[in-house]
């Protein structure tokens, strides 16, 4: 997959491609449907599927008080866009000159002049341009003179429990905030992944007999505080992991910490990039009376992680 870090680097290989524009935070099932549709349209003429996205999200400049933690950091977004079928990703750096463009100028100067797409594929609620005044009707109006066609993809809806849910980044954030990682996974089409760098922690896990890696995930959204089963991907390895998100109440902690006990391995991974795949919630964070009670509970958590991950691997 080709990655273009700004519009000035776009080359002629993208001309005539099938384009989807959006923030793509989460690259959830709705985004995946858009890219599948783009792929089907592109296949007819052997054109490229192009995802154009914004970094950071425009709301961080327009309304910083309303900005929300992101679901997919940049590198993770690239990984998921490629999995979803993008042949190329164009990154637009969000700045005031870009945000000041009218919807019509955005189409003319960015989309047509730089790419000249054969199709533009979007969801019905797509908005763009200054004050988000542009929409799919704007694209349709400009399509004939712009030499492209517009294809609108209906939102992805699915039953989660008894509810019929319209898949969106907002819905996923709501589920994660409640610790409902299974429901979030149903929207994403995969388990939620925390991505970051291994950093030094307090070292208490090693003292308790369960050495952990501590992960700095930056601005990425964390699931609700609790203990989770999942997997760690680090240094080319994929191992079951007991994942804790919380303030380590029994150990006198106050800061929110992401840490994981990686089963079957205990390497020194400081400064390594790591991914924690959060698959199932085990329990709330609890303040235990002493270290012995905490150790006994962690032992039970680890055994439960073994059971859950073994069952997942057996059915994958």
């Amino acid at each position: 997959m080709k990655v273009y870090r700004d519009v000035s680097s776009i080359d002629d290989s993208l001309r005539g491609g099938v384009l989807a524009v959006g923030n793509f935070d989460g690259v959830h099932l709705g985004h995946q449907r858009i890219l599948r549709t783009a792929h089907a349209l592109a296949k007819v003429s052997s054109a490229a599927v192009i995802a154009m996205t914004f970094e950071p999200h425009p709301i961080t400049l327009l309304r910083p008080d309303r900005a929300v933690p992101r679901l997919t950091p940049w590198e993770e977004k690239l990984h998921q866009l490629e999995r979803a079928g993008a042949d190329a990703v164009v990154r637009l750096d969000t700045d005031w000159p870009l945000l000041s463009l009218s919807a019509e100028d955005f189409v003319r100067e960015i989309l047509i002049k730089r790419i000249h797409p054969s199709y533009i594929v979007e969801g019905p609620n797509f908005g763009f341009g200054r004050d988000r005044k542009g929409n799919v009707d704007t694209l349709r109006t400009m399509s004939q003179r712009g030499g492209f066609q517009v294809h609108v993809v209906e939102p992805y809806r699915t039953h989660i429990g008894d509810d019929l849910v319209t898949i969106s980044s907002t819905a996923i954030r709501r589920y994660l905030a409640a610790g409902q990682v299974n429901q979030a996974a149903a929207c994403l089409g995969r388990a939620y992944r925390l991505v970051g760098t291994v950093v030094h922690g307090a070292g208490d896990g090693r003292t308790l007999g369960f050495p952990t890696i501590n992960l700095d995930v930056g601005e990425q959204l964390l699931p609700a505080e609790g203990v989770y089963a999942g997997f760690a991907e680090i240094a080319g390895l994929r191992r079951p992991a007991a994942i804790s998100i919380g303030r380590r109440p029994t150990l006198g902690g106050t800061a929110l910490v992401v840490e994981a006990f990686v089963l079957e391995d205990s390497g020194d991974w400081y400064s390594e990039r790591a991914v924690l795949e959060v698959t199932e919630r085990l329990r709330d964070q609890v303040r235990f009376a002493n270290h012995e009670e905490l150790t006994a509970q962690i032992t039970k958590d680890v055994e439960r992680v073994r059971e859950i991950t073994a069952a997942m691997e057996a059915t994958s």
Side-chain angles (χ1 to χ4, degrees), residues 273-307:
R273 178 184 181 274
V275 175
L276 297 179
E277 194 173 278
V278 188
T279 58
E280 187 165 327
R281 184 178 176 89
L282 301 181
R283 61 176 176 87
D284 293 339
Q285 292 285 353
V286 177
R287 183 188 297 277
F288 294 93
N290 51 56
H291 288 188
E292 289 73 22
E293 287 188 9
L294 173 58
T295 301
Q297 181 59 58
I298 294 174
T299 301
K300 293 177 183 177
D301 295 338
V302 169
E303 288 308 307
R304 184 68 181 128
V305 169
R306 290 187 195 278
E307 295 172 1

Side-chain angles (χ1 to χ4, degrees), residues 6-180:
D6 56 68
V7 293
S8 64
S9 67
I10 297 174
D11 57 53
D12 288 343
S13 66
L14 296 193
R15 294 187 71 81
V18 179
L19 175 66
V21 183
N23 195 57
F24 295 109
D25 193 22
V27 194
H28 53 62
L29 289 174
H31 298 139
Q32 293 168 40
R33 171 179 279 181
I34 287 173
L35 289 168
R36 279 199 309 273
T37 302
H39 185 271
L41 293 169
K43 189 174 181 179
V44 175
S45 57
S46 299
V49 176
I50 308 157
M52 178 177 283
T53 189
F54 305 90
E55 287 291 327
H57 193 296
I59 201 170
T60 60
L61 269 72
L62 295 170
R63 292 291 302 274
D65 57 311
R66 295 179 58 188
V68 293
R70 62 192 303 162
L71 300 172
T72 42
W74 171 243
E75 294 298 332
E76 175 69 4
K77 185 192 289 189
L78 286 179
H79 173 65
Q80 297 300 338
L81 286 172
E82 183 173 24
R83 288 188 64 205
D87 298 308
V89 173
V90 177
R91 169 177 171 152
L92 298 183
D93 290 329
T94 307
D95 55 24
W96 288 113
L98 177 66
L99 296 177
S100 298
L101 287 175
S102 68
E104 292 77 12
D105 283 343
F106 179 81
V107 174
R108 281 191 292 264
E109 297 301 316
I110 304 296
L111 306 189
I112 297 175
K113 184 176 179 180
R114 298 290 184 175
I115 297 177
H116 206 287
S118 54
Y119 285 89
I120 297 178
V121 184
E122 299 296 343
N125 299 319
F126 176 59
F128 66 98
R130 186 171 58 240
D131 300 324
R132 288 180 62 85
K133 289 185 177 179
N135 53 36
V136 293
D137 289 331
T138 309
L139 292 176
R140 289 190 179 105
T141 299
M142 300 184 71
S143 63
Q144 186 171 1
R145 297 186 67 179
F148 60 87
Q149 297 183 57
V150 179
H151 194 104
V152 178
V153 177
E154 288 305 306
Y156 195 111
R157 295 184 176 89
T158 189
H159 279 92
I160 299 179
D162 295 329
D163 300 324
L164 181 61
V165 176
T166 299
I167 304 300
S168 68
S169 301
T170 299
I172 295 166
R173 290 190 184 94
R174 184 172 63 248
Y175 286 131
L176 292 173
Q180 296 175 311

